[in-house]
Amino acid sequence: MTSLIHNINALIQSNLDALVADSGPDEGLLALDDYSQQMEDYLDVLEEMTKALGEGVRRLRNKQRRFESLAAEADLSARQFADEGQGKLARAANARQQVMRQAFEAFREEADLQNERFQTLMDVRLRLEARLTEVAQKRAILQARESASAVSV
């Protein structure tokens, strides 16, 4: 994922004027079209990745809540058993509560990590979409200039 983000950032930071100038006078629009297509391809990849990560975070949060609930139930059971004087059952319920709490924490940590990745990808996606809009504007300006120079000739 890091190399993908690195490649997208490099693409976003490309100098549009240099891209057009390097492609030659008649190829500027084609260069911008190729650049736009590459950005759209990355947007498709980012859409798939954010969808998968978003679903993964949702599943992990559901499991986190489930184990939090199980830990609370086991804690309640441990207290009830202790109040009833059933020490062995209270210890067993307390041990179960500890296991459920550990599972809850593990799912929470993993969900937080994946959510951070999700947010990073969403940020990259937003910046890529903004750059694509900028390229479309640059293309429209270049196309208008080319049309104007063709009419004046």
Side-chain angles (χ1 to χ4, degrees):
M1 185 169 98
T2 304
S3 65
L4 175 72
I5 292 172
H6 177 73
N7 290 343
I8 293 171
N9 283 332
L11 186 67
I12 290 171
Q13 294 170 359
S14 297
N15 184 332
L16 291 180
D17 292 328
L19 178 72
V20 171
D22 290 346
S23 62
D26 298 330
E27 302 296 320
L29 288 175
L30 289 175
L32 287 177
D33 289 344
D34 290 345
Y35 184 71
S36 293
Q37 183 59 52
Q38 191 175 11
M39 287 191 300
E40 288 174 6
D41 291 343
Y42 277 120
L43 278 173
D44 290 342
V45 169
L46 287 173
E47 183 177 334
E48 290 294 320
M49 289 181 76
T50 55
K51 181 180 176 182
L53 274 174
E55 289 171 359
V57 169
R58 183 181 45 77
R59 278 193 311 273
L60 288 167
R61 292 291 183 211
N62 287 339
K63 288 183 182 196
Q64 173 189 342
R65 285 187 291 277
R66 180 172 160 248
F67 281 99
E68 184 177 32
S69 175
L70 291 171
E73 288 174 16
D75 185 52
L76 180 62
S77 294
R79 290 175 199 224
Q80 288 174 343
F81 288 135
D83 289 345
E84 294 171 3
Q86 298 182 19
K88 188 174 183 179
L89 290 175
R91 285 188 300 280
N94 194 27
R96 177 172 170 75
Q97 186 265 347
Q98 291 300 319
V99 170
M100 297 302 117
R101 175 70 52 197
Q102 287 173 354
F104 156 75
E105 290 294 329
F107 281 115
R108 183 187 56 76
E109 288 172 10
E110 187 61 29
D112 289 349
L113 181 63
Q114 283 197 21
N115 190 56
E116 187 178 311
R117 289 179 184 149
F118 175 79
Q119 294 300 325
T120 299
L121 289 178
M122 290 299 291
D123 179 56
V124 169
R125 182 178 173 185
L126 183 63
R127 289 186 294 120
L128 191 58
E129 287 172 342
R131 182 62 168 185
L132 191 56
T133 300
E134 186 181 335
V135 170
Q137 292 170 346
K138 178 79 171 174
R139 187 186 191 290
I141 291 168
L142 186 59
Q143 190 171 22
R145 284 184 190 155
E146 286 184 7
S147 295
S149 69
V151 170
S152 66
V153 172

